[in-house]
Amino acid sequence: MLLLGIETSCDDTATAVVRDGRDVLSNVSTNQDAFHAKFGGIVPEIASRQHLALLSAAVADALERAGVTLAELDGIAVTAGPGLIGSLVIGVASAKALAYASGKPLYAVNHLHGHIFAPFLERDAEPEYPFLALLVSGGHSQLVDVAGPNDLHVIGRTRDDAAGEAFDKTARLLGLGFPGGPAIDRLARDGDPLAFSFPRHRPDADSLDMSFSGIKTSVRYFLESAAGKAARAEDVAASFQAALVDVLIDRVDRAAARASYCSVVLSGGVAANSALQAALRAWGHRTNTPTHIPHLRYCTDNAAMIAAAADRQGNPLLADARALSADPNFAFDRTSEPVKKA
Ligand code: KG4
Ligand code: ZN
């Protein structure tokens, strides 16, 4: 299938044209970081207004770069949730209009499923089912058992902050910009991960849940102490990152001990983290488990992954979008976290 993907769940206005859920013909993303940076986080109202201003041009750009017309597409895939409601509305309304105008099927995609299918993009070796997905982004941290494209179960989740949120908040404590993940990643390369010991969350033996607020709080208290004031920011960043990575790898290890997986997939914005990638690869070598990590450009939010998920999952929300008018709220029934479809 040749699909146009649209992703506007947060602050990236993203469009892409993807063939067969694998070959990316175009991948367009207008990053809004400059508009949100001075507020230290994403401002939903600003994000919606930017999507409104940028999306039509982004759709035209993706089609032009791919060298295809709307008429040549097999369908339109759009993120239907979860995400910022104002941002989602812009993407879904635009996708509805395009599907209506072109008479193409409309695919409503769960954003988290998009992340899980990102490692299938532009790769020769695809993850084999069943696989375990470690999904770590700015809004979510989950372990997902993926038995098939439409057979997903969340088996572990964060009890407080998402991993990306912990990166962003800790970066703020260190006086780094937003988003903080890439800044900590860079700084940590010149730091000693063993310089300071921040606490690692350990759940009950039967749980795969995770928690990151303790690490973040202990960095805060440390930075307020005399030792913290004298510490090199590089060492603090590396030690914080090491603690967070330890927790994630420990949960992957526990999950893999419970069930037999053909491979482990790392996805979401935090999958771009170099220390986490290295640790997961090392774990894969140690346990003889294939690991799959998306190309860097498909780790953070993008529209190609939305088209990839729609291609694998099939099941269009509306085969003929012209039937839309009967149910104007149709697209918001796929906002749940990954669950097994009935
Ligand atoms: O998946 P994503 O683009 O958006 C959400 O769906 O949340 O993830 C964004 C998150 C941010 O918290 C950002 O700080 C984090 O991913 N991130 C990183 C890195 N690159 C992005 N965290 C750690 N290391 C990185 N290199
Ligand atoms: Zn995301």
Side-chain angles (χ1 to χ4, degrees), residues 111 115 137-139 164-165 167-168 179-182 185 268-270 272-273 299-301:
H111 178 80
H115 278 301
S137 72
E165 201 179 346
F167 268 103
D168 294 335
D185 194 350
V270 181
N273 186 263
C299 285
T300 47
D301 289 349

Side-chain angles (χ1 to χ4, degrees), residues 196-278:
F196 311 107
S197 176
F198 296 119
R200 273 81 165 151
H201 171 248
R202 293 277 176 265
D204 297 339
D206 62 345
S207 171
L208 294 171
D209 285 350
M210 37 202 141
S211 162
F212 304 109
S213 67
I215 306 179
K216 176 201 67 195
T217 306
S218 99
V219 171
R220 197 180 86 218
Y221 286 137
F222 175 72
L223 288 173
E224 287 167 2
S225 72
K229 290 195 174 99
R232 288 172 71 232
E234 289 84 348
D235 291 339
V236 179
S239 300
F240 157 79
Q241 184 172 270
L244 193 136
V245 167
D246 268 3
V247 170
L248 293 173
I249 299 298
D250 175 78
R251 268 354 82 89
V252 166
D253 198 49
R254 287 178 189 229
R258 283 184 176 194
S260 169
Y261 293 107
C262 295
S263 48
V264 173
V265 157
L266 178 62
S267 64
V270 181
N273 186 263
S274 57
L276 178 57
Q277 292 196 356

Side-chain angles (χ1 to χ4, degrees), residues 7 9-12 42 82 111-112 115 135-140 163-168 178-186 189 241 267-274 296 299-302 305:
E7 153 63 39
S9 69
C10 195
D11 65 328
D12 293 296
I42 291 154
H111 178 80
L112 305 178
H115 278 301
L135 169 52
V136 274
S137 72
H140 296 88
E165 201 179 346
F167 268 103
D168 294 335
F178 178 85
I184 291 194
D185 194 350
R186 271 193 305 277
R189 278 174 207 163
Q241 184 172 270
S267 64
V270 181
N273 186 263
S274 57
L296 211 54
C299 285
T300 47
D301 289 349
N302 65 87
M305 71 184 193

